[in-house]
Amino acid sequence: MMKSGPSINTALSPSSSKPALVPTNTVSTKDGQTVRARIDPTLPVADVVRQLCQNLKVPDHPALYALRDEQDELITDENLRKKIKEKVNLKLVSSPVLEAVDIVEKLGGKWDDKNLKLALYSLQKYIQEEQFANEFLKRNGLAELLRVITFSHGNTLAYALKALQNLTSLDHGWTGIPTQFISKLIQIISNPHNLVNVSRPATAILKRLVEADPRLAPTATSNNQGNSNKDGNPFANTSGSGMPGSSGVNQGGVWNYGFDVVYDEMIKDGHESLEWGEKKQGIRVLETVVQRLSSGDANMAIDSMMLINALLKNASDRHWENLGFELERLNVRKAVVRLMASNTTEDLTSSILEFQANCISLAYRRKTTPIDTDSPYVRSALDLIWKSARLNPQGLQKSNKGRRQGHNWDDVDLNHYTGEENHAVNNDQDEYKDWEQLGFESDNMRVEFSRVGLLGLDCLKTLCLYDQEWFAETVLDQLSRPVERRCLVGKASNEVVELLSEHWAIYAPGYSTSSSFQPYFLTFYRIHAYTVKFFLRMWNESGAVASDFPRVAALVQSQIRVVLNDESRPWHEVERDLLNSEYREVRERQMRELELQDDLVRKPPVRNLRAKLYKDSFEFVRSQRILCLMQGAWFVNGLSIPNPGSGSIRESISIKRSPRPWRFFRLDKSMRYLHYIESAVKIPIRGGLEDLPERIDVSLLSEVVTNTCALPHNILPNGTTPSDVPPYSPGSPLVASPLSFSLMSTRGGSLADLVAENSTCFSDWIDGFNMLLGDHFTTKETAEFVQALTEIGLKIKLLDLSGERVEIPDSLPLPPLPLNTDFFFSDFE
């Protein structure tokens, strides 16, 4: 039993003569002694420890000791003042140096299961401390930890992986991970029989390695790393011949891995699959990761989603197309749509929205990538389209004997790039094909797909796979009509791609402002197929001719807005509105819409202008939101609500009211630290950072989760509380405030649980943090703000044109090529 000793004053000086000083903290020693001490917050921690050792007559050198609180958090110069202010109980324990020496010896010695697990459990807690990490790495601790991971299993492996995950949350110290170990890590993740507590940290580590890309290295990293350790950087010489990027940038840093290094190892671990009739390496680890999106453990699902997002976001030019093929083959979109339907917590929302944004970026990349008719993929796709039409080179249809009649959409999505349906390239690939028979304006496929690129080719190919019978019959029907009354099927397909791209704002990578789930966007190919059928039906029912193509396109665009405006509608309603709507009803509704809008905004040049203004508005709002973070704001320290079950990624925290319920946050100009101060009441805060003694490292921020905490009792922001969410009172259940959010840490748990004073502040800060972490918004207010700025800018740009009655053409004809290159300036060099 601990016994209480006398009071100790660690701030005594020769001039001190006042006898009765109020103790600030209770300090416990390893031998069970407890003393009350008055600690001067202005002293360095080393001096506090030295004075405690002197007063307690500890025989060992003070450098062998350190202070920790009851949660084993190391007391440092940065948090000493806060611990004293909160009167936290402290423990005088072994220093991080001694702990590191002891743990490295246990890892490198003869393994005893019990002692090894205890050592790894302690390593998980201590590895994030700079003093411990430095000593641990100096003594070759990283190599010993990797050895444990390589040869252990079960809970021992889980503890070791968790320790490595915590190490990779630092911005230094783990550059010694060799590529051979990355392969081992991939094997661990690929094994579907591994326990969740093994798979989760392994997935998180691999995600961190993907993000440690030399292309993303901060410019100041090299200098910072070089000056981070005055006694010599222990990590500077850890790169060996087995290291990726050993001759790259930032030696001693961690930016030596990245997407290419990890993805190359994924491919090596792959298995053989069929793609376009050829054997190709599939990505086995991706199969397992996608399967875990449907895991009953929400923690495992979110870790898997974050790895997929990291791969999509950091994909290089060398592999991005292959990554897209693999994810389509594994039907990852369908798995995410299921998550959207089953997600009842806020924890997965941010990752799902980021996945949507990444898919929009991928779609934009494919849309802006011109087709290369020399590419095997493009040649195979064109060959499949031609065969689906069942035409001879002269345009006559072949017999449909032995042909497939199409597939249901689940099969098409699953086998989008694989299977026997994809037809190997035949030897008659170079034979002449009259593409005008399939509804194109010319036989030059590069020109025909110039506006929609690979995305347009994918959509038309998928349409053929989905319903070959319909496609063949439609082509034959159009060929049987007079030329003027034919609907160009290929041109219609590309036009639908353009209309859907405009509807879902596929303008540029990283400019997605959707704050809600878009399950229909994730079924882009299916929506495209239904919309093309709608286009053809409206053409036939309206008796359109070639010159009516823009009119029918406008009719289709009107229907797209109505049908896809609400993404929560059930599928059968969307199918009904696209496959069974009557022309007369659609036309009447369009006429009512036309009375309210100008025909000018539907012209292609104006749509392109809107896309440019949309990006400008996005950047403006991004700057404004981050500026709000730099100006600062007051928040209420919320009461964290523990989430029951295993579906929570937030740690359960005991409900305890903070003695200082208010907190003021401000982001510094370097956007590296979030400074703050806690107060019992709101007080005036000067500009700058002088009044904000505490800070949070922004690099530790992993995501922002909303609806996570309740208002404390008797704390009313702006004198009121939301009418539908009462503040917490003792004995009553906690109810999350709609203006609450938590800053989640990369190391697990929450960095801060906050409640905004009003919806404006909530929107500004939530999306401000999201812009620091990525390029997406999550609140409806911000999305509407971007849209409003875009519309206002568009109207201003069009004022001069509409006022002067200037006619805007739908397109400009390309001038003929010059007859020679004898230009006037060719002689001037």
Side-chain angles (χ1 to χ4, degrees):
M1 179 179 293
M2 294 185 181
K3 63 178 183 177
S4 178
S7 298
I8 295 176
N9 175 25
T10 65
L12 289 177
S13 63
S15 61
S16 300
S17 59
K18 295 182 180 180
L21 296 175
V22 180
T24 59
N25 301 83
T26 298
V27 181
S28 303
T29 62
K30 291 190 290 185
D31 60 4
Q33 184 180 7
T34 301
V35 298
R36 301 172 65 195
R38 178 176 178 82
I39 302 176
D40 186 351
T42 63
L43 289 177
V45 172
D47 289 348
V48 174
V49 172
R50 179 176 55 78
Q51 293 188 27
L52 283 171
C53 290
Q54 290 176 353
N55 289 320
L56 293 171
K57 295 181 171 48
V58 176
D60 298 324
H61 194 280
L64 302 179
Y65 291 90
L67 284 174
R68 295 186 183 273
D69 63 11
E70 292 179 323
Q71 283 72 43
D72 282 332
E73 180 183 356
L74 183 67
I75 307 302
T76 63
D77 293 339
E78 287 75 20
N79 63 12
L80 177 63
R81 181 185 297 272
K82 180 180 179 181
K83 300 298 181 181
I84 294 175
K85 188 182 298 183
E86 296 177 353
K87 300 185 182 300
V88 172
N89 294 332
L90 304 177
K91 300 184 296 184
L92 187 64
V93 297
S94 298
S95 70
V97 173
L98 282 183
E99 294 285 358
V101 172
D102 182 57
I103 289 177
V104 171
E105 288 180 355
K106 291 179 179 178
L107 297 183
K110 185 177 180 180
W111 289 349
D112 174 75
D113 189 59
K114 181 178 179 181
N115 291 333
L116 181 59
K117 287 182 179 179
L118 289 174
L120 291 171
Y121 184 78
S122 299
L123 182 60
Q124 292 180 37
K125 296 186 295 182
Y126 299 150
I127 194 62
Q128 294 170 324
E129 299 169 0
E130 184 176 357
Q131 297 177 30
F132 179 93
N134 287 347
E135 191 65 29
F136 179 80
L137 294 164
K138 280 181 180 178
R139 296 179 177 273
N140 205 28
L142 177 58
E144 297 296 341
L145 178 59
L146 298 183
R147 186 170 68 93
V148 172
I149 294 174
T150 302
F151 296 105
S152 62
H153 59 276
N155 287 331
T156 303
L157 175 60
Y159 292 157
L161 286 169
K162 184 63 178 177
L164 182 60
Q165 178 189 353
N166 290 343
L167 175 61
T168 57
S169 67
L170 304 177
D171 59 358
H172 63 277
W174 43 279
T175 192
I177 298 177
T179 52
Q180 294 89 340
F181 179 79
I182 297 177
S183 178
K184 172 65 178 178
L185 204 62
I186 290 172
Q187 292 173 15
I188 293 174
I189 300 173
S190 301
N191 187 348
H193 305 296
N194 275 332
L195 299 174
V196 171
N197 61 348
V198 171
S199 301
R200 282 191 60 203
T203 304
I205 295 168
L206 195 64
K207 166 186 172 290
R208 189 70 176 96
L209 293 172
V210 172
E211 295 172 337
D213 197 310
R215 298 171 300 169
L216 307 177
T219 55
T221 300
S222 297
N223 294 336
N224 291 343
Q225 292 294 339
N227 298 330
S228 63
N229 199 352
K230 294 180 180 180
D231 297 329
N233 190 340
F235 323 119
N237 58 356
T238 55
S239 295
S241 59
M243 279 299 304
S246 59
S247 60
V249 295
N250 299 328
Q251 288 299 315
V254 296
W255 304 96
N256 293 321
Y257 301 95
F259 176 86
D260 281 337
V261 172
V262 174
Y263 200 75
D264 286 341
E265 293 300 316
M266 285 183 172
I267 293 175
K268 292 178 184 177
D269 185 64
H271 63 85
E272 287 188 349
S273 64
L274 287 174
E275 181 173 330
W276 295 101
E278 298 176 356
K279 285 190 175 182
K280 180 168 181 161
Q281 288 292 319
I283 311 297
R284 182 175 60 177
V285 66
L286 285 181
E287 291 184 6
T288 307
V289 170
V290 172
Q291 290 172 3
R292 285 175 178 151
L293 292 179
S294 304
S295 169
D297 189 294
N299 293 332
M300 189 71 259
I302 194 170
D303 284 335
S304 301
M305 178 68 77
M306 293 175 72
L307 174 59
I308 293 172
N309 281 334
L311 290 170
L312 286 171
K313 187 174 182 179
N314 297 283
S316 64
D317 293 339
R318 186 159 62 97
H319 288 307
W320 72 270
E321 195 169 358
N322 178 265
L323 175 64
F325 288 164
E326 284 294 328
L327 292 177
E328 289 293 341
R329 181 180 68 85
L330 298 172
N331 224 346
V332 66
R333 295 174 185 243
K334 184 177 179 181
V336 175
V337 170
R338 284 197 296 263
L339 273 181
M340 291 178 176
S342 62
N343 178 39
T344 57
T345 68
E346 294 292 332
D347 297 339
L348 281 173
T349 300
S350 178
S351 292
I352 292 175
L353 291 176
E354 184 179 357
F355 177 80
Q356 275 184 186
N358 288 330
C359 286
I360 288 178
S361 297
L362 183 63
Y364 175 81
R365 198 166 186 175
R366 293 195 69 78
K367 184 173 180 288
T368 55
T369 301
I371 68 169
D372 179 8
T373 53
D374 295 328
S375 163
Y377 169 76
V378 172
R379 292 168 59 192
S380 297
L382 292 175
D383 188 60
L384 183 148
I385 293 169
W386 179 263
K387 289 183 177 181
S388 298
R390 303 171 191 168
L391 295 176
N392 289 321
Q394 291 76 23
L396 301 177
Q397 276 207 307
K398 298 178 181 178
S399 170
N400 62 1
K401 182 179 179 180
R403 295 283 182 174
R404 287 181 176 264
Q405 304 301 307
H407 315 270
N408 62 57
W409 269 105
D410 289 341
D411 291 337
V412 171
D413 288 344
L414 182 64
N415 302 303
H416 186 63
Y417 293 100
T418 60
E420 61 182 357
E421 296 85 2
N422 290 341
H423 301 285
V425 181
N426 284 347
N427 294 329
D428 62 350
Q429 188 65 247
D430 296 327
E431 73 176 43
Y432 174 75
K433 296 182 177 68
D434 186 1
W435 290 103
E436 294 182 18
Q437 303 285 347
L438 264 67
F440 293 100
E441 294 180 320
S442 71
D443 291 333
N444 189 333
M445 292 295 98
R446 288 190 179 93
V447 174
E448 293 297 323
F449 286 96
S450 60
R451 293 189 303 151
V452 293
L454 287 175
L455 180 63
L457 182 64
D458 292 341
C459 288
L460 184 56
K461 177 178 66 68
T462 307
L463 173 61
C464 295
L465 284 173
Y466 162 62
D467 199 340
Q468 294 182 18
E469 190 67 28
W470 175 88
F471 184 74
E473 291 177 356
T474 300
V475 171
L476 177 61
D477 177 60
Q478 297 303 319
L479 288 175
S480 66
R481 300 184 180 204
V483 175
E484 278 299 311
R485 301 190 64 84
R486 292 178 186 175
C487 177
L488 303 180
V489 180
K491 182 179 179 181
S493 173
N494 290 344
E495 181 66 22
V496 169
V497 173
E498 283 276 37
L499 296 177
L500 293 176
S501 297
E502 182 176 352
H503 174 77
W504 279 306
I506 305 177
Y507 295 143
Y511 287 94
S512 173
T513 59
S514 174
S515 59
S516 59
F517 294 156
Q518 294 179 322
Y520 292 138
F521 165 71
L522 297 183
T523 57
F524 191 97
Y525 299 117
R526 187 175 184 181
I527 293 293
H528 169 268
Y530 289 166
T531 309
V532 171
K533 291 186 175 183
F534 177 81
F535 193 109
L536 269 294
R537 193 158 52 82
M538 292 299 103
W539 181 280
N540 296 335
E541 293 183 10
S542 65
V545 295
S547 59
D548 292 327
F549 192 92
R551 177 178 63 81
V552 178
L555 190 70
V556 173
Q557 184 179 35
S558 173
Q559 186 74 351
I560 288 173
R561 285 197 296 265
V562 172
V563 174
L564 301 179
N565 183 53
D566 181 9
E567 299 249 356
S568 63
R569 300 178 65 200
W571 253 114
H572 72 271
E573 292 184 7
V574 174
E575 292 186 36
R576 179 198 63 202
D577 291 343
L578 288 176
L579 300 180
N580 301 319
S581 294
E582 297 292 336
Y583 168 75
R584 186 181 301 277
E585 296 176 359
V586 176
R587 179 61 176 168
E588 289 177 355
R589 190 202 65 244
Q590 185 202 27
M591 293 305 296
R592 292 193 297 270
E593 293 176 353
L594 290 176
E595 295 176 358
L596 303 176
Q597 66 177 343
D598 188 357
D599 181 67
L600 186 65
V601 299
R602 296 194 303 275
K603 291 182 175 291
V606 178
R607 281 156 43 185
N608 293 335
L609 175 61
R610 183 198 298 273
K612 179 181 181 300
L613 293 174
Y614 186 91
K615 290 186 286 185
D616 293 342
S617 301
F618 185 98
E619 289 297 337
F620 174 80
V621 174
R622 173 186 179 135
S623 301
Q624 185 270 337
R625 292 297 189 253
I626 294 180
L627 183 61
C628 288
L629 270 61
M630 293 181 176
Q631 291 175 342
W634 282 101
F635 298 91
V636 176
N637 281 321
L639 297 175
S640 177
I641 302 178
N643 290 330
S646 63
S648 171
I649 63 169
R650 307 183 66 244
E651 294 180 351
S652 298
I653 302 173
S654 59
I655 300 171
K656 179 178 68 175
R657 179 177 173 181
S658 171
R660 296 174 180 82
W662 291 94
R663 186 180 290 192
F664 184 90
F665 274 104
R666 176 176 290 154
L667 181 69
D668 65 7
K669 293 183 178 179
S670 69
M671 297 188 291
R672 296 181 58 192
Y673 296 100
L674 192 63
H675 297 258
Y676 68 92
I677 186 175
E678 291 185 335
S679 176
V681 295
K682 292 197 294 185
I683 58 176
I685 302 293
R686 294 174 296 175
L689 305 175
E690 293 79 6
D691 295 341
L692 309 175
E694 309 291 341
R695 71 182 187 181
I696 294 174
D697 191 338
V698 173
S699 65
L700 298 179
L701 183 60
S702 63
E703 64 173 329
V704 182
V705 181
T706 58
N707 295 337
T708 55
C709 50
L711 284 167
H713 183 49
N714 292 333
I715 300 298
L716 311 178
N718 286 339
T720 59
T721 58
S723 58
D724 57 336
V725 180
Y728 167 72
S729 59
S732 65
L734 288 176
V735 180
S737 167
L739 301 181
S740 64
F741 62 94
S742 295
L743 306 180
M744 307 307 296
S745 171
T746 56
R747 302 175 181 178
S750 171
L751 295 171
D753 299 308
L754 307 172
V755 181
E757 291 195 87
N758 51 62
S759 59
T760 301
C761 178
F762 177 81
S763 175
D764 290 347
W765 281 70
I766 287 292
D767 287 326
F769 283 125
N770 283 328
M771 297 316 300
L772 285 178
L773 300 176
D775 291 320
H776 68 282
F777 295 141
T778 59
T779 65
K780 182 179 179 181
E781 292 81 2
T782 301
E784 291 177 346
F785 188 22
V786 173
Q787 191 63 33
L789 287 177
T790 303
E791 295 301 324
I792 292 172
L794 181 63
K795 291 177 181 179
I796 292 175
K797 293 285 187 181
L798 295 179
L799 276 178
D800 292 339
L801 298 177
S802 58
E804 298 294 333
R805 302 288 183 182
V806 176
E807 179 66 25
I808 300 179
D810 290 336
S811 61
L812 295 175
L814 294 175
L817 294 174
L819 299 178
N820 55 63
T821 57
D822 296 332
F823 302 120
F824 176 77
F825 290 103
S826 61
D827 295 333
F828 296 89
E829 295 183 358

Short mmCIF file of all heavy atoms in Angstrom, two decimals, residues 520-539:
data_model
loop_
_atom_site.label_atom_id
_atom_site.label_comp_id
_atom_site.label_asym_id
_atom_site.label_seq_id
_atom_site.Cartn_x
_atom_site.Cartn_y
_atom_site.Cartn_z
N TYR A 520 -25.69 6.60 -57.13
CA TYR A 520 -25.92 6.46 -58.57
C TYR A 520 -24.68 6.85 -59.36
O TYR A 520 -24.46 6.34 -60.46
CB TYR A 520 -27.13 7.29 -59.00
CG TYR A 520 -28.42 6.75 -58.44
CD1 TYR A 520 -29.40 7.59 -57.94
CD2 TYR A 520 -28.65 5.39 -58.40
CE1 TYR A 520 -30.57 7.09 -57.41
CE2 TYR A 520 -29.82 4.87 -57.88
CZ TYR A 520 -30.77 5.72 -57.38
OH TYR A 520 -31.93 5.21 -56.85
N PHE A 521 -23.86 7.76 -58.83
CA PHE A 521 -22.61 8.06 -59.51
C PHE A 521 -21.70 6.83 -59.52
O PHE A 521 -21.00 6.56 -60.51
CB PHE A 521 -21.88 9.21 -58.84
CG PHE A 521 -20.44 9.33 -59.27
CD1 PHE A 521 -20.12 9.76 -60.54
CD2 PHE A 521 -19.41 8.96 -58.42
CE1 PHE A 521 -18.80 9.83 -60.97
CE2 PHE A 521 -18.09 9.03 -58.82
CZ PHE A 521 -17.78 9.47 -60.10
N LEU A 522 -21.71 6.06 -58.43
CA LEU A 522 -20.87 4.87 -58.36
C LEU A 522 -21.37 3.76 -59.27
O LEU A 522 -20.69 2.75 -59.47
CB LEU A 522 -20.79 4.37 -56.91
CG LEU A 522 -20.12 5.33 -55.92
CD1 LEU A 522 -20.03 4.71 -54.54
CD2 LEU A 522 -18.75 5.77 -56.40
N THR A 523 -22.57 3.93 -59.84
CA THR A 523 -23.08 3.01 -60.87
C THR A 523 -23.14 3.75 -62.21
O THR A 523 -24.12 3.64 -62.94
CB THR A 523 -24.47 2.47 -60.48
OG1 THR A 523 -25.36 3.57 -60.28
CG2 THR A 523 -24.40 1.65 -59.20
N PHE A 524 -22.09 4.49 -62.51
CA PHE A 524 -22.05 5.37 -63.68
C PHE A 524 -22.39 4.62 -64.97
O PHE A 524 -23.17 5.09 -65.80
CB PHE A 524 -20.66 6.01 -63.77
CG PHE A 524 -20.56 7.12 -64.77
CD1 PHE A 524 -20.67 8.44 -64.37
CD2 PHE A 524 -20.34 6.87 -66.12
CE1 PHE A 524 -20.56 9.48 -65.28
CE2 PHE A 524 -20.23 7.89 -67.04
CZ PHE A 524 -20.35 9.20 -66.62
N TYR A 525 -21.80 3.44 -65.16
CA TYR A 525 -21.99 2.71 -66.42
C TYR A 525 -23.44 2.26 -66.58
O TYR A 525 -23.99 2.28 -67.69
CB TYR A 525 -21.06 1.50 -66.48
CG TYR A 525 -19.59 1.86 -66.41
CD1 TYR A 525 -18.80 1.42 -65.35
CD2 TYR A 525 -19.01 2.63 -67.40
CE1 TYR A 525 -17.45 1.76 -65.28
CE2 TYR A 525 -17.67 2.97 -67.34
CZ TYR A 525 -16.90 2.54 -66.28
OH TYR A 525 -15.58 2.89 -66.22
N ARG A 526 -24.05 1.87 -65.49
CA ARG A 526 -25.44 1.43 -65.56
C ARG A 526 -26.36 2.60 -65.87
O ARG A 526 -27.26 2.49 -66.72
CB ARG A 526 -25.84 0.79 -64.22
CG ARG A 526 -27.21 0.13 -64.22
CD ARG A 526 -27.43 -0.57 -62.90
NE ARG A 526 -28.68 -1.29 -62.86
CZ ARG A 526 -29.11 -1.97 -61.81
NH1 ARG A 526 -28.37 -2.03 -60.71
NH2 ARG A 526 -30.27 -2.60 -61.84
N ILE A 527 -26.15 3.73 -65.22
CA ILE A 527 -26.94 4.93 -65.50
C ILE A 527 -26.73 5.36 -66.95
O ILE A 527 -27.67 5.78 -67.64
CB ILE A 527 -26.56 6.06 -64.54
CG1 ILE A 527 -26.99 5.71 -63.10
CG2 ILE A 527 -27.19 7.39 -64.96
CD1 ILE A 527 -28.49 5.65 -62.90
N HIS A 528 -25.50 5.26 -67.43
CA HIS A 528 -25.21 5.63 -68.81
C HIS A 528 -26.01 4.76 -69.77
O HIS A 528 -26.60 5.26 -70.75
CB HIS A 528 -23.71 5.47 -69.08
CG HIS A 528 -23.34 5.56 -70.54
ND1 HIS A 528 -23.27 4.44 -71.36
CD2 HIS A 528 -23.05 6.63 -71.33
CE1 HIS A 528 -22.94 4.82 -72.57
NE2 HIS A 528 -22.79 6.14 -72.59
N ALA A 529 -26.06 3.45 -69.52
CA ALA A 529 -26.79 2.55 -70.42
C ALA A 529 -28.28 2.90 -70.44
O ALA A 529 -28.89 2.97 -71.52
CB ALA A 529 -26.59 1.10 -69.98
N TYR A 530 -28.87 3.13 -69.28
CA TYR A 530 -30.29 3.49 -69.23
C TYR A 530 -30.55 4.81 -69.94
O TYR A 530 -31.57 4.99 -70.63
CB TYR A 530 -30.75 3.60 -67.78
CG TYR A 530 -30.86 2.28 -67.06
CD1 TYR A 530 -30.98 2.23 -65.68
CD2 TYR A 530 -30.82 1.07 -67.75
CE1 TYR A 530 -31.09 1.04 -64.99
CE2 TYR A 530 -30.91 -0.13 -67.08
CZ TYR A 530 -31.03 -0.15 -65.70
OH TYR A 530 -31.13 -1.34 -65.04
N THR A 531 -29.62 5.76 -69.79
CA THR A 531 -29.81 7.09 -70.38
C THR A 531 -29.67 7.04 -71.90
O THR A 531 -30.38 7.75 -72.62
CB THR A 531 -28.82 8.09 -69.78
OG1 THR A 531 -28.88 8.03 -68.35
CG2 THR A 531 -29.16 9.52 -70.21
N VAL A 532 -28.76 6.21 -72.41
CA VAL A 532 -28.64 6.05 -73.87
C VAL A 532 -29.93 5.47 -74.43
O VAL A 532 -30.43 5.91 -75.49
CB VAL A 532 -27.43 5.17 -74.22
CG1 VAL A 532 -27.43 4.81 -75.71
CG2 VAL A 532 -26.12 5.88 -73.87
N LYS A 533 -30.50 4.49 -73.75
CA LYS A 533 -31.78 3.93 -74.20
C LYS A 533 -32.88 5.00 -74.18
O LYS A 533 -33.72 5.07 -75.09
CB LYS A 533 -32.17 2.75 -73.31
CG LYS A 533 -31.29 1.54 -73.48
CD LYS A 533 -31.82 0.35 -72.69
CE LYS A 533 -30.99 -0.90 -72.96
NZ LYS A 533 -31.52 -2.09 -72.27
N PHE A 534 -32.85 5.85 -73.15
CA PHE A 534 -33.82 6.94 -73.08
C PHE A 534 -33.62 7.91 -74.25
O PHE A 534 -34.58 8.39 -74.86
CB PHE A 534 -33.68 7.68 -71.74
CG PHE A 534 -34.59 8.85 -71.59
CD1 PHE A 534 -35.91 8.69 -71.22
CD2 PHE A 534 -34.12 10.15 -71.81
CE1 PHE A 534 -36.76 9.78 -71.08
CE2 PHE A 534 -34.94 11.24 -71.67
CZ PHE A 534 -36.28 11.05 -71.32
N PHE A 535 -32.36 8.19 -74.56
CA PHE A 535 -32.04 9.09 -75.68
C PHE A 535 -32.62 8.53 -76.98
O PHE A 535 -33.28 9.26 -77.75
CB PHE A 535 -30.52 9.23 -75.79
CG PHE A 535 -30.05 10.35 -76.67
CD1 PHE A 535 -29.45 11.47 -76.13
CD2 PHE A 535 -30.20 10.29 -78.05
CE1 PHE A 535 -29.02 12.51 -76.93
CE2 PHE A 535 -29.77 11.32 -78.87
CZ PHE A 535 -29.18 12.43 -78.30
N LEU A 536 -32.37 7.25 -77.25
CA LEU A 536 -32.87 6.64 -78.49
C LEU A 536 -34.39 6.62 -78.53
O LEU A 536 -35.01 6.83 -79.59
CB LEU A 536 -32.32 5.22 -78.62
CG LEU A 536 -30.98 5.00 -79.36
CD1 LEU A 536 -31.16 5.36 -80.83
CD2 LEU A 536 -29.84 5.81 -78.76
N ARG A 537 -35.03 6.37 -77.39
CA ARG A 537 -36.49 6.32 -77.37
C ARG A 537 -37.10 7.70 -77.60
O ARG A 537 -38.09 7.85 -78.32
CB ARG A 537 -36.96 5.75 -76.02
CG ARG A 537 -38.43 5.35 -76.01
CD ARG A 537 -38.69 4.34 -74.90
NE ARG A 537 -38.18 4.81 -73.62
CZ ARG A 537 -38.85 5.66 -72.82
NH1 ARG A 537 -40.02 6.12 -73.20
NH2 ARG A 537 -38.35 6.03 -71.67
N MET A 538 -36.50 8.73 -77.00
CA MET A 538 -37.00 10.09 -77.23
C MET A 538 -36.81 10.49 -78.69
O MET A 538 -37.64 11.20 -79.27
CB MET A 538 -36.26 11.08 -76.32
CG MET A 538 -36.55 10.93 -74.83
SD MET A 538 -38.29 11.20 -74.38
CE MET A 538 -38.85 9.50 -74.15
N TRP A 539 -35.72 10.05 -79.27
CA TRP A 539 -35.45 10.34 -80.70
C TRP A 539 -36.55 9.72 -81.56
O TRP A 539 -37.11 10.37 -82.45
CB TRP A 539 -34.09 9.79 -81.07
CG TRP A 539 -33.69 10.05 -82.50
CD1 TRP A 539 -34.09 9.35 -83.60
CD2 TRP A 539 -32.82 11.08 -82.97
NE1 TRP A 539 -33.53 9.87 -84.74
CE2 TRP A 539 -32.74 10.93 -84.39
CE3 TRP A 539 -32.10 12.09 -82.37
CZ2 TRP A 539 -31.97 11.77 -85.19
CZ3 TRP A 539 -31.32 12.93 -83.15
CH2 TRP A 539 -31.26 12.77 -84.54
#
